[in-house]
Amino acid sequence: MTTYYSEHSKAYVSVDCIIFGFDEGHLRVLIGKRQMDPGRGEWSLYGGFVRPQESVDKAAARTLFELTGLRNLYMSQVGAFGNIDRDPGERVISIAYYALINVNDYNEKLRMQHGVEWVNFNQLPPMYSDHRDMIRKARKMMKEMIKTNPVGLRLLPSLFTLTQLQRLYEAVNGEAIDKRNFRKRIKEMEFIEKTELIDKTSSKRGAHLYKFNLATYNEDRNFKL
């Protein structure tokens, strides 16, 4: 072991994972009660410390898998959070990531095992340290991404109606969208494809079902599946 940088103080590096889901017209975040000191019992994101032999990206992927049991999730780095007083225990710098999952893909037993809950973005409780700031920044990033990327691929069923898609956009953007303008805009997105299937669960007439056509999507836009 070398003695480089021994004259400098040490800091811990952790990852915190912001997991977004979409259900019943609401953007939701997976959070739970913190099970360690400091801050035991406070609402918190799920995270952990970066291990010596892993990168921060691998630490985030590992943490996401531990919590969800799902692999190959969409994951994006939100940024570093390093205020001096953000953790009363030690000097901890956290790298936040956000991920998108379909709520129905998340095993209920696993959710209960980890003691986490889906909470509506607009009803977030007071949270440990700067975790609400992390969530707000991640939501802001997603608002920009949804303008040009198939965010709904991870949040919606494989087949969906335009009403479901519009509700997703409204939940992410936090405001109502004019139906006519929205549908005109969707027609301009080549990666959203109309099928011949009809959903009749909401009305006798029914509504056409749509899907994401990734063959026509330009993957150079940095959306990794």
Side-chain angles (χ1 to χ4, degrees), residues 145-165:
M145 190 177 73
I146 201 173
K147 294 177 181 178
T148 56
N149 293 272
V151 171
L153 175 70
R154 295 295 188 181
L155 299 174
L156 291 172
S158 57
L159 295 173
F160 51 86
T161 65
L162 287 184
T163 297
Q164 288 175 306
L165 186 62

Side-chain angles (χ1 to χ4, degrees), residues 64 76 117 134 150 189:
L64 284 169
S76 181
E117 298 180 18
M134 293 179 179
M189 296 183 179

Side-chain angles (χ1 to χ4, degrees), residues 104-160:
N104 294 324
D105 290 340
Y106 188 31
N107 186 284
E108 184 69 8
K109 290 183 179 179
L110 196 58
R111 183 190 69 77
M112 295 179 67
Q113 175 184 323
H114 286 289
V116 291
E117 298 180 18
W118 287 109
V119 177
N120 290 349
F121 175 84
N122 293 325
Q123 297 175 339
L124 287 173
M127 297 184 68
Y128 176 75
S129 186
D130 48 12
H131 288 193
R132 286 185 64 153
D133 293 335
M134 293 179 179
I135 295 171
R136 291 192 185 101
K137 185 174 180 180
R139 195 275 190 92
K140 185 176 181 181
M141 291 174 63
M142 189 162 57
K143 286 175 67 174
E144 290 301 312
M145 190 177 73
I146 201 173
K147 294 177 181 178
T148 56
N149 293 272
V151 171
L153 175 70
R154 295 295 188 181
L155 299 174
L156 291 172
S158 57
L159 295 173
F160 51 86

Side-chain angles (χ1 to χ4, degrees), residues 49-219:
F49 289 101
V50 178
R51 294 173 179 172
Q53 303 302 321
E54 65 184 2
S55 67
V56 290
D57 284 353
K58 287 187 176 180
R62 170 181 56 79
T63 302
L64 284 169
F65 178 72
E66 289 173 358
L67 178 60
T68 68
L70 302 172
R71 296 190 185 276
N72 300 319
L73 296 176
Y74 173 78
M75 181 182 77
S76 181
Q77 189 177 115
V78 177
F81 293 76
N83 286 345
I84 295 174
D85 59 350
R86 66 173 303 275
D87 191 307
E90 294 285 353
R91 182 79 166 95
V92 179
I93 297 170
S94 182
I95 314 299
Y97 288 78
Y98 82 89
L100 310 176
I101 71 172
N102 188 317
V103 171
N104 294 324
D105 290 340
Y106 188 31
N107 186 284
E108 184 69 8
K109 290 183 179 179
L110 196 58
R111 183 190 69 77
M112 295 179 67
Q113 175 184 323
H114 286 289
V116 291
E117 298 180 18
W118 287 109
V119 177
N120 290 349
F121 175 84
N122 293 325
Q123 297 175 339
L124 287 173
M127 297 184 68
Y128 176 75
S129 186
D130 48 12
H131 288 193
R132 286 185 64 153
D133 293 335
M134 293 179 179
I135 295 171
R136 291 192 185 101
K137 185 174 180 180
R139 195 275 190 92
K140 185 176 181 181
M141 291 174 63
M142 189 162 57
K143 286 175 67 174
E144 290 301 312
M145 190 177 73
I146 201 173
K147 294 177 181 178
T148 56
N149 293 272
V151 171
L153 175 70
R154 295 295 188 181
L155 299 174
L156 291 172
S158 57
L159 295 173
F160 51 86
T161 65
L162 287 184
T163 297
Q164 288 175 306
L165 186 62
Q166 181 173 339
R167 287 177 178 169
L168 171 61
Y169 273 72
E170 290 175 336
V172 170
N173 287 292
E175 59 185 13
I177 300 174
D178 178 77
K179 180 178 179 179
R180 183 178 298 178
N181 290 338
F182 175 76
R183 299 201 172 198
K184 180 180 178 181
R185 181 181 173 190
I186 293 302
K187 288 181 179 179
E188 298 171 353
M189 296 183 179
E190 295 182 357
F191 57 82
I192 297 177
E193 183 178 283
K194 184 178 181 180
T195 74
E196 297 302 318
L197 301 174
I198 303 293
D199 173 38
K200 293 187 177 182
T201 58
S202 58
S203 67
K204 291 183 179 180
R205 183 181 179 184
H208 275 282
L209 289 167
Y210 287 71
K211 67 179 182 179
F212 291 103
N213 186 340
L214 297 179
T216 63
Y217 181 70
N218 180 5
E219 295 185 1

